[in-house]
Amino acid sequence: MNNTNLMWIPAVRMGLCRISYAQNGLPVFFVPDTSEYALSLVTKDKFEKICRQKGIPAIIVSKKDDPVKLADEIEFASKKSIPHVVAVEGTGIGGVGFSVLQAREAIESLINKSDVSHEITVSSVNKRLTGCSAIVTGGAQGFGRGIAEEMLAEGAAIVIADMNEQTGIIAVEEMNKKFGKGSTVFVRTDVTNKASIDLCVEAALKSFGGVDMLVSNAGVLKAGGIEEMDEKSFDFVTSVNYKAYFLCVQAVVPLMKLQRKCCEKHFMDIIQINSKSGLEGSNKNFAYAGSKFGGIGLTQSFALELVEYGIKVNAICPGNYYEGPLWSDPEKGLFVQYLRAGKVPGAKTIEDVKAFYVGKVPMKRGCSPADVAKAIFYLHEQNYETGQALPVTGGQVMLN
């Protein structure tokens, strides 16, 4: 994590998570506020007076340079009860909750001098990803958006990291209307650029208090045979599908390690959305398949390196999502590309190509975002699984 001025945020959240794990086994969100007005409140006498007047359960602690010591003080000051608001003297304040909405209401009741009624309760938000802060790359459309929406429905808070700014902003607006204000934020992100990814991680930290899950979904595909594929296209596919996975992992790992250091019960997930093409070769599609085979190699290697830090690393290998833009885009979709590349003998139309591919699936349908989300939930809940490549292919690809 490059911005050391923000280290107090995950330290506070992990101190709170220690208490929450002991009570109900769930993490919490911590939504920080370091505005000028918020900082004006962060003196012990003023903060405690306002909180008493408003009846807000709150604690204030002194600033610590060591994040672990700050987490220790948060746990001690809380006295085994989760506060609604936490302040660190001279640094900032933040709201706490099992949903982002709860955390935002907590801080707004203090900052905006309002009488917002709120409670930090588990019962209304106890879902499979309650308290989980995630980044989903390539999450503005298609498969990525579908996965993000399934995760939001199960209680996650998500940073949508995508190159397509206009589509991303619209997607986040729609998601926030559906799943709750502030549950999703958009950050324009180039996954092939480390500095861009670092800003995305920082946004998750400022918005939700940390990063518990990276879903590395962004990917591209350019089909073509050996004599058709040019070097520029090959490098492009490799950069986005292989190198960018490494860069995203490199960006989140320092923060994840810090979180584990501050709370030893906190497990985290890195999940690459790979492909069935990462499990078997793909005719006239070697650039894509090669990048996906490489992704599984990275997954297994990352898993071995990070297991001691409570970071599980797995890949999901979906079958084809025929309804998404990757396949169905009328100009750049795979049905069009494969028709032009002659991958399906005798095919004369896009419909011929689609029928050929659907016919190869024993379950006679394509893979959906909901199918992949169920695999994500399993990997998140299973703390005794790492380094795996999990097929979700409708029986089309089976492990030996």
Side-chain angles (χ1 to χ4, degrees):
M1 187 169 61
N2 293 332
N3 194 340
T4 56
N5 292 328
L6 299 176
M7 287 197 299
W8 71 277
I9 299 173
V12 169
R13 179 172 177 246
M14 289 299 101
L16 296 166
C17 282
R18 292 183 193 179
I19 304 164
S20 183
Y21 281 135
Q23 292 180 352
N24 51 59
L26 294 171
V28 294
F29 294 112
F30 177 68
V31 178
D33 189 329
T34 56
S35 65
E36 185 176 343
Y37 178 66
L39 289 173
S40 73
L41 301 177
V42 188
T43 59
K44 190 174 181 64
D45 292 341
K46 182 184 289 188
F47 179 78
E48 291 181 341
K49 180 180 179 181
I50 293 174
C51 290
R52 279 197 306 270
Q53 290 174 342
K54 289 179 170 287
I56 301 172
I59 61 169
I60 182 168
V61 299
S62 58
K63 183 180 179 180
K64 294 281 190 297
D65 292 331
D66 184 342
V68 176
K69 290 182 179 179
L70 179 56
D72 291 341
E73 185 163 351
I74 293 293
E75 182 182 23
F76 177 78
S78 298
K79 298 179 180 178
K80 299 183 180 180
S81 178
I82 301 173
H84 293 195
V85 178
V86 174
V88 179
E89 288 185 286
T91 304
I93 62 178
V96 185
F98 290 103
S99 71
V100 173
L101 180 60
Q102 286 183 355
R104 287 170 64 95
E105 286 180 344
I107 195 67
E108 286 171 7
S109 68
L110 178 73
I111 295 296
N112 297 333
K113 303 180 181 179
S114 65
D115 295 319
V116 176
S117 175
H118 67 278
E119 293 183 19
I120 299 179
T121 58
V122 179
S123 57
S124 62
V125 291
N126 190 3
K127 301 177 180 180
R128 301 183 78 174
L129 295 181
T130 292
C132 178
S133 172
I135 295 172
V136 178
T137 67
Q141 59 187 326
F143 217 60
R145 175 168 177 171
I147 290 169
E149 290 185 345
E150 295 287 339
M151 292 172 61
L152 286 164
E154 288 294 339
I158 297 178
V159 173
I160 300 295
D162 202 291
M163 280 285 286
N164 194 325
E165 188 167 10
Q166 183 176 2
T167 301
I169 291 172
I170 293 172
V172 164
E173 288 177 353
E174 293 173 350
M175 291 179 194
N176 281 332
K177 286 180 181 178
K178 184 175 181 180
F179 299 104
K181 182 180 178 182
S183 59
T184 318
V185 297
F186 173 76
V187 178
R188 187 184 184 280
T189 307
D190 177 359
V191 293
T192 67
N193 182 286
K194 179 64 162 51
S196 181
I197 306 165
D198 286 338
L199 291 175
C200 179
V201 175
E202 187 171 309
L205 191 57
K206 291 178 177 179
S207 300
F208 311 129
V211 177
D212 308 314
M213 180 185 294
L214 166 67
V215 179
S216 182
N217 168 76
V220 295
L221 189 154
K222 283 187 176 291
I226 295 170
E227 295 174 278
E228 299 168 296
M229 179 70 63
D230 58 80
E231 185 177 356
K232 182 179 179 180
S233 296
F234 183 87
D235 287 343
F236 174 61
V237 172
T238 304
S239 178
V240 176
N241 294 355
Y242 181 72
K243 179 183 176 181
Y245 176 32
F246 152 67
L247 292 176
C248 288
V249 170
Q250 190 178 55
V252 300
V253 160
L255 174 56
M256 287 184 167
K257 284 184 176 181
L258 176 61
Q259 290 174 164
R260 179 68 169 195
K261 189 175 182 181
C262 291
C263 181
E264 63 181 16
K265 292 184 178 180
H266 194 64
F267 281 88
M268 292 145 288
D269 292 281
I270 293 171
I271 299 173
Q272 188 203 29
I273 306 303
N274 197 279
S275 170
K276 68 180 182 61
S277 294
L279 299 173
E280 63 178 14
S282 183
N283 183 30
K284 295 185 178 179
N285 194 21
F286 60 86
Y288 180 77
S291 68
K292 293 300 184 178
F293 266 79
I296 292 176
L298 290 179
T299 294
Q300 294 178 352
S301 301
F302 293 156
L304 293 171
E305 181 176 345
L306 298 175
V307 65
E308 66 179 290
Y309 304 104
I311 304 169
K312 299 171 289 163
V313 188
N314 293 284
I316 296 171
C317 300
N320 300 324
Y321 177 36
Y322 296 124
E323 290 72 27
L326 179 65
W327 281 87
S328 295
D329 186 283
E331 296 180 2
K332 300 182 292 183
L334 296 183
F335 289 135
V336 172
Q337 290 190 47
Y338 289 171
L339 181 64
R340 293 170 180 166
K343 279 198 65 173
V344 180
K348 296 181 180 180
T349 66
I350 291 175
E351 288 70 26
D352 292 339
V353 178
K354 183 174 182 178
F356 173 81
Y357 280 99
V358 172
K360 295 172 71 173
V361 183
M363 291 189 174
K364 301 304 178 187
R365 69 171 178 86
C367 183
S368 73
D371 297 323
V372 174
K374 290 181 178 68
I376 291 174
F377 302 153
Y378 162 73
L379 292 171
H380 172 70
E381 293 168 347
Q382 174 58 275
N383 286 340
Y384 195 62
E385 197 74 89
T386 194
Q388 303 303 314
L390 181 61
V392 184
T393 66
Q396 189 173 358
V397 177
M398 300 181 184
L399 295 178
N400 296 321

